[in-house]
């Protein structure tokens, strides 16, 4: 199992680099060429979401991206360090800004779910993680 780790400052201009690296590693891992656009878009959405969470929370830690090549699949994990509370918990004095952020967050997750068949989202007091998995074409197509 080969893993590439990418960490970048939570700035929007670094999301493009993460997308390009993810596509290059996915191609090398044997992900079907027809799926690479979906990989790029999904990674872009996940990284943009993580950058937004870091910026809105004043978190200076980098966004972490793991690109994991396994025998029959390729996975990407995008992690943030933005703490989350249980659904329904509200901070006193929070209002429309929090509602707008939540709606934007949910929209990003919906886009990712539409692009990736196998997606897992976890979040807690120490941050969140989006794990996206695609089949590896090299595992399904025998080499000549």
């Amino acid at each position: 199992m080969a893993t590439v780790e990418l960490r970048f400052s939570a700035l929007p201009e670094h999301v493009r680099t993460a997308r390009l690296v993810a596509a290059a590693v996915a191609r090398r891992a044997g992900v079907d060429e027809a799926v690479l656009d979906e990989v790029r878009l999904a990674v872009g959405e996940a990284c943009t979401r993580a950058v937004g969470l870091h910026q809105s929370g004043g978190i200076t830690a980098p966004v972490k991206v793991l690109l994991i090549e396994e025998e029959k699949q390729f996975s990407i994990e995008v992690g943030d360090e933005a703490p989350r509370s249980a659904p329904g918990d509200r901070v006193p004095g929070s209002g429309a800004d929090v509602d707008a952020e939540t709606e934007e967050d949910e929209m990003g997750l919906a886009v990712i779910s539409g692009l990736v068949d196998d997606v897992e989202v976890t979040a807690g007091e120490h941050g969140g993680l989006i794990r996206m998995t695609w089949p590896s074409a090299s595992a399904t197509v025998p080499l000549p």
Side-chain angles (χ1 to χ4, degrees):
M1 174 172 77
T3 300
V4 174
E5 183 174 336
L6 173 67
R7 291 176 184 256
F8 63 91
S9 300
L11 298 169
E13 54 264 33
H14 297 307
V15 171
R16 181 173 187 266
T17 302
R19 290 176 52 183
L20 293 171
V21 170
V25 175
R27 179 178 285 118
R28 188 185 57 107
V31 173
D32 192 313
E33 287 288 326
V35 180
L36 290 179
D37 282 339
E38 294 172 7
V39 170
R40 269 190 289 274
L41 291 171
V43 168
E45 282 293 327
C47 288
T48 297
R49 177 180 178 271
V51 166
L53 290 169
H54 277 222
Q55 288 183 338
S56 67
I59 299 166
T60 58
V63 172
K64 181 178 173 182
V65 181
L66 292 177
L67 309 159
I68 306 162
E69 180 183 355
E70 297 173 299
E71 188 176 329
K72 296 184 180 186
Q73 66 184 20
F74 175 71
S75 299
I76 300 176
E77 296 180 358
V78 178
D80 64 72
E81 294 192 16
R84 318 290 202 295
S85 56
D89 286 356
R90 301 241 347 160
V91 176
S94 63
D97 289 344
V98 171
D99 290 340
E101 286 176 14
T102 301
E103 188 174 310
E104 186 175 314
D105 186 45
E106 289 174 2
M107 180 64 80
L109 292 174
V111 169
I112 293 167
S113 295
L115 291 167
V116 185
D117 290 336
D118 187 2
V119 63
E120 181 181 335
V121 180
T122 57
E125 63 184 50
H126 300 292
L129 182 76
I130 297 176
R131 181 178 171 93
M132 304 167 282
T133 304
W134 294 268
S136 174
S138 61
T140 58
V141 178
L143 297 174

